[in-house]
Amino acid sequence: MHRLILATFVVFAPLAASAQQHDMNAYNQALASLNAGKLEDAASRFFELASNATDSDVRDRSELYLAQAFARKGMHVSALVTYAQIVKAGPTHPSYLQAVEGLVDVQQKLNEQNLVPNLLDKAYTPEVENQFVKLPREVLARVNYQVATIRQRRGKFEEARALLESVPSDSRIYARARYLLGVVLADPHFPGRPTEAEKLDADALAAFHAALDAKGPQLGHDEVKQLAQLGLGRLHYGRHEYPRSVAAYEAVPRYARFWDQALFENGFARFQGEDFGGALGSLQALHAPQFEGAFQPESWILKATVYYYSCLFDEVKTTLAAYEKLYEPMAKQLEPFADENMELLSAYNLVAAENRRLPGPVYLWIRNNERIQDVMRMIAQVDAEKRMVNEESMWRGTGMAPEMGSSLEEVRGTLMQIGGAFAKSRLLEAAQNLRTFADQAEIIRVQTALDEKDLLLAGVDQKALLKSQSIYRPKMPGAAWNYWKFQGEFWRDEIGYYQYTLKRGCPAKLQGQAQK
């Protein structure tokens, strides 16, 4: 027995050395192909080594270079999958930090908002923090920002705050981090509110201003500045600082991506500041043909409310009739899809495909959302990479084609679940909003009828009251401004600058009641 065992060891020792040498030769050939830009050959060789090499060091390095080959070929989802396998293996993997860096690079190239941030969040445990500090400064900043987005979504506000505050001012992600920090600090659920509200609000305001004033090249700075202005408007609105809120909303550039949202929220800020004509002016712009097809039911309820507070009851009825004409058919059309039991894949397909069943404005409201757009863009990338895998002649007949195809299909399924969850949530939200605003419209309608009755019983001739009043031009903001009376046509260079002047149909006593 002993001799047989010894003989066995003698025979296998040279074989092991031979296998190791074979791995090194194959590794060097793969590396030469990668350096020469022969990416298909390099990927094929590294995949084989990552799967079957007997030398663990060669196997581990081949995983990293396989991901890099995919990335250089423009197959960023395939690279993401491969980097993720290394990161999931943990910090004991010799290429761990390089894989984290690769994930961050892929996230930027894809502008991906779901998969990579969640992978980094799961990886970023207290045990690896001392490893992450070894990352390049900009990479660590982006890791902290991406993880913070997940912590913020999950309500872990203090953790999100610490991560965002760690992003240095010379980072290209600094403006985004400061904007999100403002959102986190202003959140009503942030620990310490309401007793520390003043300090938190001051810090949030400072964060929004820092996002606006960030220096150097910043990722998507124009959009970040728009979001920061919205953040300032909302924070001032919550503090009842309505003139400051209006100023923030009006700083959002006309026809910019978030301008319609700024117009809508500015209407509320002006209304709360008792600038009823300004509120109607914002809504007038929002209801221009340029925003036709927008899903803005609450804007009509606000418009009716403004008229109600001015006791302009005919205008209230006209506005509510316009609301009903637009949104009652939508509510009925949406009913079959506002189902808590709807499968996620069905919900995703409903908004991803060409619309044939949903109300057009609701379809656009969901489909044009950044989160859904991100999922749709990523699925298109997955499908493109699946075609590349299947059509590459060098990869046919190898183990790589079916394995990568399977991995990409798994990613596709995950993305559809994410998109489906969001689409379903938005469908339910749209249906609930329409029910809520229909109820509010009915309340306004009933209250209007009661107030009209009170005027009649009090012997008030409202028509005479209104006739006795004059309409004046609104105050001009400056000498460079001109006044043009609106005559039913929307001119591009006028939209966003509307200002109403209103008569008041309320007798003094009723007017005081309406303001309560």
Side-chain angles (χ1 to χ4, degrees):
M1 286 290 294
H2 291 291
R3 288 181 183 177
L4 181 58
I5 292 173
L6 287 173
T8 302
F9 277 113
V10 170
V11 171
F12 273 87
L15 285 175
S18 175
Q20 188 177 36
Q21 186 60 49
H22 177 271
D23 286 346
M24 286 305 302
N25 290 339
Y27 174 79
N28 288 332
Q29 290 173 349
L31 199 58
S33 291
L34 182 64
N35 291 333
K38 299 176 181 178
L39 302 177
E40 296 80 9
D41 181 63
S44 181
R45 292 177 183 275
F46 282 127
F47 178 84
E48 180 64 25
L49 288 166
S51 302
N52 300 315
T54 57
D55 187 304
S56 61
D57 185 54
V58 169
R59 192 167 57 247
D60 292 340
R61 290 178 181 273
S62 295
E63 282 185 277
L64 178 68
Y65 285 127
L66 173 61
Q68 292 182 2
F70 284 141
R72 287 176 59 181
K73 190 173 169 57
M75 299 176 63
H76 298 299
V77 180
S78 300
L80 188 161
V81 169
T82 312
Y83 284 132
Q85 291 172 347
I86 299 173
V87 171
K88 288 176 182 177
T92 57
H93 195 292
S95 300
Y96 179 75
L97 290 180
Q98 290 166 292
V100 170
E101 190 170 348
L103 275 179
V104 172
D105 184 61
V106 165
Q107 188 280 328
Q108 180 185 336
K109 285 185 168 64
L110 292 172
N111 191 26
E112 196 278 322
Q113 306 298 323
N114 293 293
L115 301 177
V116 174
N118 274 288
L119 284 167
L120 293 173
D121 177 62
K122 290 178 181 177
Y124 203 172
T125 61
E127 292 75 22
V128 302
E129 285 187 22
N130 62 333
Q131 294 284 329
F132 274 41
V133 296
K134 299 175 185 177
L135 291 165
R137 181 180 174 88
E138 179 66 12
V139 174
L140 180 58
R142 293 178 190 235
V143 168
N144 287 337
Y145 172 75
Q146 295 296 333
V147 174
T149 64
I150 301 301
R151 304 282 167 93
Q152 183 258 342
R153 290 180 199 172
R154 294 176 180 168
K156 298 178 180 180
F157 298 117
E158 290 178 309
E159 294 178 20
R161 177 184 189 172
L163 289 163
L164 293 167
E165 288 181 336
S166 72
V167 175
S169 60
D170 59 351
S171 168
R172 288 172 58 88
I173 207 76
Y174 177 73
R176 287 184 179 272
R178 288 287 125 172
Y179 162 69
L180 187 58
L181 176 61
V183 172
V184 167
L185 295 171
D187 194 289
H189 298 102
F190 190 92
R193 286 189 181 273
T195 56
E196 298 178 20
E198 287 297 322
K199 177 65 166 62
L200 290 171
D201 285 350
D203 290 344
L205 287 170
F208 288 135
H209 283 294
L212 288 168
D213 300 334
K215 306 301 181 184
Q218 294 289 320
L219 286 177
H221 201 192
D222 286 344
E223 287 194 357
V224 173
K225 287 192 283 189
Q226 294 174 47
L227 290 169
Q229 290 292 167
L230 290 176
L232 287 169
R234 291 162 183 168
L235 187 54
H236 285 306
Y237 184 91
R239 293 174 57 83
H240 311 293
E241 298 166 349
Y242 301 119
R244 291 184 178 183
S245 181
V246 169
Y249 288 130
E250 293 191 345
V252 175
R254 297 168 73 242
Y255 295 103
R257 179 178 176 185
F258 298 105
W259 185 46
D260 59 336
Q261 188 65 29
L263 285 171
F264 171 62
E265 296 184 27
N266 190 40
F268 273 96
R270 284 185 174 275
F271 170 68
Q272 293 289 1
E274 298 188 4
D275 177 9
F276 294 169
L280 289 175
S282 285
L283 297 175
Q284 174 85 344
L286 191 61
H287 296 158
Q290 281 78 355
F291 296 114
E292 187 176 1
F295 184 64
Q296 291 279 12
E298 192 173 5
S299 67
W300 292 92
I301 302 303
L302 174 59
K303 189 174 184 178
T305 303
V306 171
Y307 282 131
Y308 172 76
Y309 270 70
S310 299
C311 297
L312 297 174
F313 299 133
D314 287 343
E315 285 78 2
V316 171
K317 296 172 189 175
T318 300
T319 301
L320 293 178
Y323 169 82
E324 291 172 354
K325 183 178 179 181
L326 280 171
Y327 290 105
E328 279 193 358
M330 286 190 208
K332 292 177 181 177
Q333 189 178 350
L334 194 58
E335 283 178 2
F337 308 106
D339 183 1
E340 291 278 1
N341 298 317
M342 176 182 282
E343 294 183 356
L344 298 185
L345 294 184
S346 298
Y348 176 76
N349 288 328
L350 193 62
V351 300
E354 181 181 350
N355 184 42
R356 297 184 184 276
R357 296 189 289 168
L358 290 174
V362 174
Y363 172 76
L364 293 174
W365 180 66
I366 300 174
R367 186 183 172 90
N368 292 337
N369 183 272
E370 185 178 4
R371 298 280 297 279
I372 285 288
Q373 287 287 312
D374 176 52
V375 169
M376 292 173 62
R377 186 178 62 251
M378 284 293 294
I379 288 177
Q381 177 69 20
V382 168
D383 291 343
E385 293 189 26
K386 286 175 65 178
R387 289 192 297 271
M388 294 171 73
V389 169
N390 293 329
E391 293 171 3
E392 176 53 55
S393 59
M394 188 173 291
W395 297 343
R396 291 176 189 163
T398 70
M400 188 171 79
E403 183 166 327
M404 289 309 302
S406 176
S407 295
L408 289 169
E409 187 59 34
E410 185 176 341
V411 171
R412 194 181 199 280
T414 300
L415 288 167
M416 290 190 73
Q417 291 288 318
I418 293 170
F422 188 76
K424 179 178 177 178
S425 172
R426 296 284 272 185
L427 284 167
L428 294 172
E429 181 183 350
Q432 181 57 51
N433 283 347
L434 290 175
R435 287 192 291 268
T436 298
F437 298 134
D439 291 343
Q440 290 183 10
E442 185 60 25
I443 291 171
I444 295 170
R445 183 181 293 105
V446 170
Q447 192 61 51
T448 298
L450 291 174
D451 286 357
E452 284 185 305
K453 180 181 176 182
D454 288 343
L455 286 179
L456 287 172
L457 292 175
V460 175
D461 186 346
Q462 193 186 44
K463 289 185 178 180
L465 176 64
L466 291 170
K467 190 175 181 180
S468 67
Q469 301 175 30
S470 298
I471 291 289
Y472 298 96
R473 289 183 179 184
K475 183 180 178 181
M476 292 293 101
W481 291 70
N482 288 319
Y483 169 78
W484 298 95
K485 183 178 180 181
F486 181 75
Q487 295 179 312
E489 292 184 315
F490 288 88
W491 295 89
R492 182 179 174 86
D493 59 348
E494 295 175 357
I495 297 174
Y497 297 123
Y498 298 121
Q499 175 78 28
Y500 277 57
T501 52
L502 298 175
K503 293 183 178 182
R504 303 283 288 178
C506 309
K509 183 179 179 181
L510 187 57
Q511 182 173 323
Q513 292 173 345
Q515 296 296 332
K516 290 180 181 179

